[in-house]
Amino acid sequence: MTHASRIPSLAEPSVFLASLGVLFASLCFGVLPYFARSLTEQGMPPHVIAFHRFTLAAIVLSPLLVRHRRKTRAIIWGLGAGAAMGLGWVGYVSALDSAPVALVGVLYMTYPVFTLLIAWGLFQTKPTLRASGAAGLIVLAAIVASGPAAVGSDVLPALLLSLAAPMGFGLGITVLVYRLTALPPLTRIAAVSLGSVLGLLPLVITTPPSSLMPVDSHGWILLVGIALGTALVPQLVYSICAPIAGAAQTAVIGSVELPTMFAVGLLAFGERISLAQSAAGLLIVAAITLSSRDRLDRPSRDQVRMPKS
């Protein structure tokens, strides 16, 4: 589902360090539910949490857009993809407020399915057999984890809403592959982050001022953690290390994000990991491993990477 190259040997020092960087970034992305749910429990609305998560990266990296302002078309595509991702992420945070972290995590990891469908529908890229098989495993995982036998009917609306996040991320990946290769990696992150902020801004300006900021010092720590520890820093590390590690190895190492979400639900919120959720998690990891050698049909000269949402 991403541009695949050879699997680099961990014997190469630079590849080994890059692989550690990808692992670090993936762990950071995996602990995101802790910060998101904790801020929700403090009374901060999901769209405000999403806005704050992307704002720091947008502020730090947006000057890069000025340097590449001549590439207007690519920047506009990045802004649009970012807006879709930011709005979709609201559904993800909302679902965390009422559904188990592991279950929301499994559904979030369905984004490769949306990536394939959007690439097929918008850019006429027919899925390969390997990618289709991986997508089938992911769909099966979602059914196993969220079917009527696994969850109560009261959670289903939130779970359906949470699918907006992988859908937005899938759109973002296809836009990156087909429209943003003219921009350097950090500039892509800048465009997407700024687009997320702009997309969420109309919701934020209609929110009561009392809900825009944390109520205590713990809330500020959580806010800094979600903006710095789950967005800006891991995105920078990921964008630098992923091309060195290689697409196949990055995909496999990145799958640690899902069990990290499981651990957050268990250790931070005392949620029991059900048999259905465990089975779904294994199916997701198997699908990622299967698809790690696959790619979309328009590779760029460098490894094409999407800033993680």
Side-chain angles (χ1 to χ4, degrees):
M1 297 179 191
T2 54
H3 178 191
S5 60
R6 67 182 181 88
I7 301 179
S9 169
L10 287 179
E12 303 173 30
S14 61
V15 173
F16 177 72
L17 292 176
S19 298
L20 289 180
V22 172
L23 176 62
F24 166 78
S26 299
L27 291 172
C28 289
F29 296 136
V31 300
L32 191 155
Y34 169 74
F35 295 96
R37 179 181 282 185
S38 298
L39 286 167
T40 301
E41 291 175 348
Q42 287 209 349
M44 185 172 287
H47 61 274
V48 175
I49 297 172
F51 179 82
H52 285 305
R53 180 178 182 245
F54 294 108
T55 297
L56 182 60
I59 292 174
V60 172
L61 299 176
S62 286
L64 296 175
L65 298 176
V66 177
R67 181 184 302 177
H68 298 278
R69 59 187 179 276
R70 295 182 182 275
K71 300 173 181 177
T72 306
R73 184 182 295 272
I75 291 175
I76 291 175
W77 273 102
L79 294 174
M85 289 172 59
L87 292 171
W89 205 72
V90 175
Y92 175 80
V93 179
S94 299
L96 285 172
D97 192 36
S98 57
V101 171
L103 180 53
V104 177
V106 167
L107 293 183
Y108 176 75
M109 297 299 286
T110 62
Y111 70 83
V113 177
F114 292 102
T115 302
L116 289 179
L117 293 175
I118 294 171
W120 192 5
L122 289 184
F123 300 105
Q124 290 75 54
T125 302
K126 187 176 181 179
T128 65
L129 183 61
R130 190 193 302 271
S132 299
L137 288 177
I138 292 172
V139 171
L140 178 60
I143 293 173
V144 168
S146 59
V151 299
S153 58
D154 57 320
V155 181
L156 288 179
L159 296 180
L160 290 174
L161 183 62
S162 75
L163 290 175
M167 188 181 301
F169 191 29
L171 173 63
I173 291 174
T174 55
V175 168
L176 172 71
V177 172
Y178 294 98
R179 291 292 183 265
L180 299 192
T181 54
L183 299 175
L186 291 183
T187 308
R188 300 170 200 165
I189 298 177
V192 171
S193 298
L194 181 59
S196 298
V197 169
L198 295 176
L200 291 163
L201 189 59
L203 296 176
V204 171
I205 62 178
T206 59
T207 302
S210 59
S211 300
L212 295 178
M213 294 297 173
V215 296
D216 55 28
S217 58
H218 179 60
W220 279 104
I221 293 174
L222 292 171
L223 200 63
V224 171
I226 201 171
L228 195 63
T230 76
L232 179 60
V233 170
Q235 282 181 345
L236 292 175
V237 172
Y238 190 90
S239 68
I240 293 170
C241 294
I244 301 172
Q249 195 150 282
T250 294
V252 175
I253 295 174
S255 66
V256 75
E257 183 177 349
L258 183 58
T260 303
M261 293 181 191
F262 281 25
V264 168
L266 177 65
L267 300 176
F269 302 112
E271 296 177 353
R272 184 179 64 86
I273 308 300
S274 70
L275 181 61
Q277 291 164 3
S278 299
L282 291 175
L283 287 170
I284 293 287
V285 173
I288 292 172
T289 304
L290 175 64
S291 65
S292 62
R293 290 178 175 273
D294 223 333
R295 64 180 179 85
L296 293 175
D297 279 346
R298 280 240 348 236
S300 63
R301 180 170 298 178
D302 58 282
Q303 295 291 336
V304 175
R305 294 290 166 194
M306 188 67 193
K308 296 287 284 187
S309 65

